[in-house]
Amino acid sequence: MSLTATAKAGPRPSGTGPGPDDGRAAALRRTWRKASPYAYIAPFFTLFLAFGLFPLLYTAFVSLYRVELQTSGEMEWRGIANYTALFTDEYFWISLRNTFTIGVLSTVPQLAMALGLAHLLNYKLRGRTFIRTAILLPYATSVAAATLVFAQLFGRDFGLINYVIGLVGFDPVDWQTGTVASQIAVSTIVIWRWTGYNALIYLAGMQSIPHELYEAAEMDGASRWRQFIHVTLPGLRPTIVFTVIISTIGATQLFGEPLLFEGSISGGISHQYQTLGLYMYEQGWGFFHLGRAAAIAWVMFVLIVVLVGVNALIVRRRARKEAGR
Amino acid sequence: MTALAAPPTSPGKGRPPQDPPRKRIRKGGAGRTMKGGWLSYLILGVALLISAFPFYWTIVAASRSNADLAQVPPSLLPGPNLIKNFDAVLEEADIGKALLNSLIVSGSITIGTVLCCTLAGFAFAKLKFRGRGALLTLTIGTMMIPPQLGVIPLFMLIAELQWVNQLQAVILPGLVSAFGVFFMRQYLVQSLPDELIEAARVDGASTARIFWSIVIPIARPGMAVLGMLTFMTAWNDFFWPIIALSSQEPTVQVALRQLGGGYVNDQSVIMAGTLLGTLPVLLVFGLLGRQIVGGIMQGAVKG
């Protein structure tokens, strides 16, 4: 390999030649060899501590203070007042509920369709690379771009979707003011952007299932459908858990879609599709209450931990049940 | 918004994330090899149409006038107004500056992240040092916590440094990628043999020399995949830029928000702006889509 050749051909480091300082130089080199790994992780960890870990931990601290956007240097102790204020705010509960319903509306169909698509992509197909690439295309767009396009497609009077609905013979839907309708519209954007991505993750998982399992199932006379249920799904369980957790985290912090769907910071006239992420932004950068926003962030964090924990528990219980059978 | 992680079933060990091994999987007998029938093609065809239609519609709407878009039935073919709408976008939101800013931000983040993560990934994969396990666990552990949750102290920090409205406010936090470190570590564990490093050490090469002459060339394909994914994520990032930047110094995504947020209410102009903001990343995707698909199938990314 040319790589090793260049390494060998290079000049020897100082210290290989004999000299009076040989012992000291060798000691120095040994010390450096012990210390140098830290030099390699230093750039990452310096940034990681300053911009990653510190803000994450400090959020809990900030949530106990009164901090206003314009004077973010001044902090006034409030104890749990930010939290009690939160729990008595009607809009907090609305946004919590919206986060949950939009989360379910977007995650469940998204993962179900991804599973189906992955199954099809796993067949021998002409142009499979092209299909895989094309199906990932929505993933390459930004939240902002996708939402603006969909907001137009979902327009009440001149939107293409209402036009098509009209052709089929139904009344136009007000995608912006209706609670269910607007949440479906917002979920559609999420589904559109992420289905292809999840399909590829599932496809990767499916390809690691040994072919012999299918052969054995076929010899037992299992139909394609039964093979899917009894071979593919169990083999895919770790992958499914992974996508469920990742989608749950994504859904909990949904922000760009509800903000740009109509351009309003409150998530619609009656907050009908305001999510927790948007509520946090409204409190912090709309009303300048950074302390209150930090409390919301902390609630989101607890929510994520609980949801991920519940998911893991369900999966483990199901696995144990199956092992017992 | 970069919660990034790898799925537990990321197939196979000891294979670098490259194209040829995937073929090996196919021949090696994993997965199914049944042929798809016409129904498979039909369903996939419909899925592709749904994937692609919003892009087509952006082009249609961006090349028409606002009056055209308010017509029933709507026109489904591109019109003649594309250039005119682009001009309107440039006038109303200074999208030229926004594109340049996005390029600077995404470019710096990509180069910086790939370098930082390759350095750290190499140390975690091949060097022995005290605290290695704990530090790696810490790094991977934070991958599950969305960075959004630390955004308030981060903003206070940026305000304290008086960086609000300056591009470094977006660039520096963007360089932190726990996923990147994890990804490069996995890549190097698999593709860099210990013997190669030992041989170089016997020859008297320093760790730095080993890094530049051996690790970097071997890591290059992994660095390329990480770079593409980082660029796409950085280009498309929305949440942090709209907090840290404003209309005076926007990235494309921030500028798009201005277009959608009421300064303009000309739908065809909004779509023209959307088209301009999406084109660069579509270009990257068009050129490197296969590698991106490969990268995602190897070690999942969520942005």
Side-chain angles (χ1 to χ4, degrees):
Chain A
M1 236 200 250
S2 64
L3 320 167
T4 30
T6 44
K8 275 178 190 164
R12 298 291 160 100
S14 60
T16 32
D21 281 340
D22 208 22
R24 249 179 68 198
L28 212 69
R29 238 188 11 254
R30 236 176 290 125
T31 322
W32 172 240
R33 188 154 286 176
K34 262 193 179 167
S36 73
Y38 297 103
Y40 287 81
I41 59 171
F44 169 74
F45 268 95
T46 313
L47 293 162
F48 184 60
L49 288 178
F51 299 114
L53 211 54
F54 160 74
L56 221 48
L57 299 175
Y58 200 64
T59 303
F61 189 70
V62 174
S63 74
L64 301 174
Y65 284 83
R66 179 193 171 86
V67 190
E68 298 293 296
L69 183 71
Q70 306 90 333
T71 54
S72 63
E74 296 162 30
M75 294 170 65
E76 184 191 318
W77 173 259
R78 289 197 75 187
I80 59 163
N82 281 331
Y83 289 93
T84 47
L86 206 59
F87 295 142
T88 49
D89 184 357
E90 159 192 23
Y91 294 132
F92 166 73
W93 296 106
I94 293 179
S95 66
L96 184 65
R97 198 188 57 210
N98 290 344
T99 304
F100 184 76
T101 48
I102 295 176
V104 172
L105 278 174
S106 57
T107 308
V108 175
Q110 179 196 133
L111 295 183
M113 289 193 307
L115 200 56
L117 286 176
H119 181 71
L120 295 179
L121 282 172
N122 206 16
Y123 286 136
K124 251 189 191 155
L125 296 168
R126 275 168 193 281
R128 51 198 278 162
T129 314
F130 169 76
I131 303 176
R132 281 178 193 171
T133 315
I135 223 162
L136 192 67
L137 202 57
Y139 168 81
T141 50
S142 66
V143 180
T147 308
L148 290 177
V149 176
F150 272 90
Q152 224 217 351
L153 291 171
F154 276 114
R156 191 190 61 186
D157 296 323
F158 309 111
L160 202 61
I161 290 173
N162 268 352
Y163 172 72
V164 172
I165 286 177
L167 285 185
V168 190
F170 290 99
D171 288 336
V173 178
D174 190 341
W175 296 106
Q176 253 124 36
T177 42
T179 304
V180 180
S182 63
Q183 293 196 2
I184 289 177
V186 169
S187 303
T188 307
I189 307 168
V190 181
I191 294 171
W192 180 75
R193 277 190 72 219
W194 289 105
T195 301
Y197 166 86
N198 283 303
L200 288 186
I201 303 287
Y202 286 147
L203 180 61
M206 282 175 186
Q207 297 199 330
S208 65
I209 299 174
H211 192 59
E212 293 77 51
L213 288 180
Y214 289 105
E215 280 170 0
E218 208 154 345
M219 280 209 282
D220 289 344
S223 66
R224 276 193 181 194
W225 172 247
R226 291 192 69 95
Q227 286 177 29
F228 179 75
I229 297 292
H230 293 292
V231 181
T232 308
L233 281 186
L236 220 49
R237 171 163 298 126
T239 317
I240 293 175
V241 174
F242 168 78
T243 55
V244 168
I245 289 174
I246 286 295
S247 309
T248 307
I249 294 175
T252 311
Q253 35 163 357
L254 211 60
F255 166 75
E257 291 88 344
L259 174 64
L260 289 172
F261 183 55
E262 203 188 359
S264 90
I265 191 174
S266 58
I269 301 161
S270 51
H271 295 239
Q272 69 271 23
Y273 55 88
Q274 185 175 41
T275 55
L276 275 177
L278 189 52
Y279 180 65
M280 175 176 118
Y281 181 74
E282 189 189 30
Q283 289 291 332
W285 286 270
F287 304 150
F288 314 131
H289 304 317
L290 287 184
R292 189 89 80 86
I296 301 165
W298 197 242
V299 169
M300 281 165 72
F301 174 62
V302 172
L303 196 68
I304 287 174
V305 170
V306 169
L307 285 172
V308 168
V310 167
N311 276 327
L313 214 69
I314 292 173
V315 172
R316 195 184 296 166
R317 183 166 296 173
R318 284 208 50 182
R320 200 181 297 153
K321 226 186 205 169
E322 256 156 49
R325 241 188 283 168
Chain B
M1 263 244 254
T2 28
L4 307 134
T9 50
S10 177
K13 287 187 185 90
R15 296 187 294 103
Q18 274 296 289
D19 261 9
R22 233 191 298 149
K23 272 182 200 147
R24 204 177 70 201
I25 286 191
R26 241 177 277 157
K27 283 181 191 154
R32 310 186 72 181
T33 45
M34 249 176 281
K35 269 193 180 161
W38 63 270
L39 194 62
S40 314
Y41 285 101
L42 183 72
I43 298 172
L44 285 171
V46 171
L48 288 191
L49 273 182
I50 295 173
S51 296
F53 183 76
F55 296 105
Y56 176 70
W57 178 251
T58 313
I59 296 172
V60 171
S63 61
R64 294 201 159 261
S65 72
N66 211 28
D68 285 349
L69 293 180
Q71 257 174 13
V72 181
S75 27
L76 282 173
L77 292 173
N81 282 347
L82 190 63
I83 303 298
K84 204 179 131 227
N85 288 332
F86 278 166
D87 282 344
V89 173
L90 291 175
E91 219 167 87
E92 287 174 59
D94 201 354
I95 211 116
K97 188 181 189 187
L99 282 166
L100 185 65
N101 280 345
S102 273
L103 201 65
I104 295 171
V105 165
S106 312
S108 324
I109 286 181
T110 305
I111 294 169
T113 302
V114 169
L115 273 180
C116 284
C117 293
T118 309
L119 279 168
F122 164 60
F124 279 125
K126 297 292 169 181
L127 300 180
K128 289 192 183 70
F129 55 94
R130 196 182 274 261
R132 179 171 86 163
L135 288 175
L136 187 62
T137 311
L138 181 73
T139 311
I140 294 176
T142 55
M143 269 164 52
M144 287 310 257
I145 308 172
Q148 255 200 30
L149 301 186
V151 92
I152 289 138
L154 189 57
F155 180 79
M156 290 163 69
L157 187 71
I158 296 292
E160 194 68 31
L161 294 167
Q162 306 205 317
W163 282 0
V164 177
N165 273 333
Q166 295 185 25
L167 294 184
Q168 69 260 36
V170 179
I171 294 172
L172 279 170
L175 300 176
V176 180
S177 169
F179 165 77
V181 172
F182 176 71
F183 181 87
M184 286 318 298
R185 179 190 169 268
Q186 294 305 92
Y187 189 87
L188 287 171
V189 162
Q190 291 170 11
S191 54
L192 177 64
D194 286 336
E195 296 78 32
L196 212 55
I197 297 178
E198 276 157 28
R201 280 215 198 285
V202 170
D203 286 344
S206 65
T207 314
R209 177 149 191 94
I210 292 176
F211 183 76
W212 287 112
S213 313
I214 299 179
V215 177
I216 293 269
I218 287 186
R220 208 169 277 154
M223 290 165 81
V225 170
L226 180 62
M228 285 178 307
L229 295 170
T230 307
F231 184 86
M232 275 172 53
T233 312
W235 184 274
N236 287 335
D237 193 17
F238 179 65
F239 186 68
W240 178 240
I242 81 158
I243 287 174
L245 304 173
S246 72
S247 47
Q248 298 135 34
E249 203 62 52
T251 59
V252 165
Q253 310 304 333
V254 178
L256 284 185
R257 195 221 168 171
Q258 288 165 45
L259 282 180
Y263 286 4
V264 200
N265 221 338
D266 196 329
Q267 291 291 323
S268 55
V269 174
I270 294 177
M271 286 300 106
T274 309
L275 187 60
L276 278 178
T278 314
L279 273 180
V281 86
L282 285 189
L283 212 68
V284 171
F285 193 82
L287 290 172
L288 305 163
R290 289 182 70 164
Q291 278 89 329
I292 293 173
V293 169
I296 281 181
M297 286 187 55
Q298 287 296 332
V301 188
K302 177 109 178 169

